[in-house]
Amino acid sequence: MIKKLPLLLGLLLCFTIKAQQYKVIDSLLNDYNIDGARAIISKTSYKDSSEKLLDNAQYYVFTNQLDSAFINLFNVDTLSLSPINKARYLDYLGKTHIADDDIDKGYLYSIRAKEQYLKVKELYDANAFNLTLYNLFADQEYYNYEPDQLLELFGEQAIENEWNDQVADYYIQIALLNFNYDNKKEVMQNLDLALEYLKDDNYALERARIFAIKSVYYAQITQELDSADYYIEKADVIEKRFNIPYKTYYTLINKAAITRLRGNYKETINLLKQAETLKHNLYKKSNLKFLYSLLSNDYEDQENYKTSLEYLKKHINYRDSVNIADQFVNLTKYQTVQKDKQILLEQQQKIKNKNLAIIFGGFLIAVSIIGLLVYKNTNRKKKIAEQQSELEKQKLQTFLKEQELTTIDAIIEGQEKERQKLAGDLHDSVGATLATARLQFSHLKKHKNSLDNLDDIFSNTEELLSQAYHEIRNMSHLKNSGVLAKKSLVPAIENLAKNASVSTSLQVEVNHYGLEDRLDNNLEISIFRIIQELVTNIIKHANASEASITLTQHDDDLNIIVEDNGKGFNLSAIDKQGLGLSSIEKRVNFLHGDINIDSTLGKGTTIIIDIPLKTNAS
């Protein structure tokens, strides 16, 4: 497609049906032909300025230039939009807000965009939002919605309408849901099913994406590095046909991850430096921030601290640059909102001036007729003023009540979050497997007279149902190891220590003093999650052979000490987000507690947490 760009552009510039141009731009962007999409927009003569603003927004949303996307969208005259352009407007607003981490607004605009696409019979675009909303709900636990229903609907619609790229996306999502060591067969089966729907050469880049996912699975999950090499090379061969720097960048990052697992740090650094030389504009600052972090860590592992420090400084510079860009996006939104408020105030002032003129005119007429009317009119104005004052008071009271309700809702949501997650984990894990089995039956029913491999399909379906049974059983055992109604905090932590000691070379000891009575259930869950995350950090990062967990209750205070004999770390030089320390600190702060971290390189880590029990009592 890219080799035919001059001819393609010539044809596109002759388009007379503007409503379809956005699909051509979308196709170019999905092929990462950024320059081609930009050329169409710049060379097209638009009769409607709002349509050009929408095409610009489409380009900026894809390239993650959120400030420019917001500016173009906020300048669109929504009253002049055709039905299809109204759907696009809602579509881009939803995606921009989601990219800006404003999930609530992103969700609302996405729902409206889906409904508008259905109204104009753009069923393909409407179905794409089922996957968008699925990913949105799956990441945001506080939405009262079953995300697997959206994923199942997305798959059914895609298969029924033979939208091959969407069918492939469905099977890829099923594979990602089972992305763990025990589900290797199911992961590969679903990725292979996705490949079956992408045989057309137009889907070459989508096939490369699947090969890259396989490579990541073999490298990061099963550590079968030869298989990881094989699939990343297959992805690389396809991507080189298109010469997309952004794709090449991530392929080099993935290759570097494989060589790092082999311990070949010299080759790892060489691959990362090749990625550094690539010139691309898509998410450039974020990518360089990530790249320099990797280089800094790899040079540090090689004890080349000088070069490691240089790349750490570059990482910090790009991190700050990305943060400033995010602030500019928020400033753009704020300025637009202020502009809208100013317009509203001016309109209200005009109405107020008009009302005052009418009142004043009536007053003059009343004066010219009789003084009695002056008195009555004055009295009436006083009553109106009192009524307006009362209305303002009522508005203020209503606002305060709404704020109070919002605060109560937020507290309730926070309390219910853990309970919803506990129920949702079991449902979501099995739901994907059963959804696949259901689609297998649907496929069998539709093509039962034309299939040659009925035995294989029955066998695969039987395996899926058996796996669903074992997933339910294993999940129930796993959930019972946590803090449940019939177990108190100490047995749950002892069980956690036992599981950690059995599954790793680490030996975890638990000591407790003064915890004869149970604490509030929500408090026990919060404390358990904090200790669970600390133990996870020890297993993943500390390289320790021994660890201890000590809990001591002094009257109305609980003291927690978690120690290990691992490699330790420099607290001022590490990324708290990467180790999960930031999340732990937030949990402790939420409980009005204090946390102290003492770690020395080569001598292990000690973390002391004090939590006031009286403050956190129900």
Side-chain angles (χ1 to χ4, degrees), residues 547-561:
S548 66
I549 304 169
T550 304
L551 298 95
T552 306
Q553 182 177 348
H554 302 287
D555 296 329
D556 292 330
D557 293 297
L558 178 65
N559 175 261
I560 304 168
I561 301 176

Side-chain angles (χ1 to χ4, degrees), residues 574-593:
I574 58 97
D575 179 7
K576 288 189 177 182
Q577 294 286 351
L579 289 181
L581 294 178
S582 177
S583 173
I584 294 170
E585 288 179 346
K586 288 179 181 178
R587 287 178 183 266
V588 174
N589 291 335
F590 180 77
L591 297 177
H592 308 286

Side-chain angles (χ1 to χ4, degrees), residues 102-108 136-147 413 420:
D102 192 345
I103 303 302
D104 291 330
K105 286 186 179 179
Y107 157 70
L108 292 174
L136 194 64
F137 291 133
D139 291 338
Q140 305 296 323
E141 298 171 356
Y142 57 84
Y143 281 113
N144 185 21
Y145 206 96
E146 298 295 344
E413 287 174 354
Q420 290 175 353

Side-chain angles (χ1 to χ4, degrees), residues 21-40:
Q21 177 166 296
Y22 81 94
K23 292 187 177 181
V24 179
I25 296 173
D26 187 61
S27 177
L28 289 170
L29 291 173
N30 286 330
D31 283 340
Y32 294 91
N33 189 348
I34 308 298
D35 294 336
R38 183 74 259 176
I40 291 177

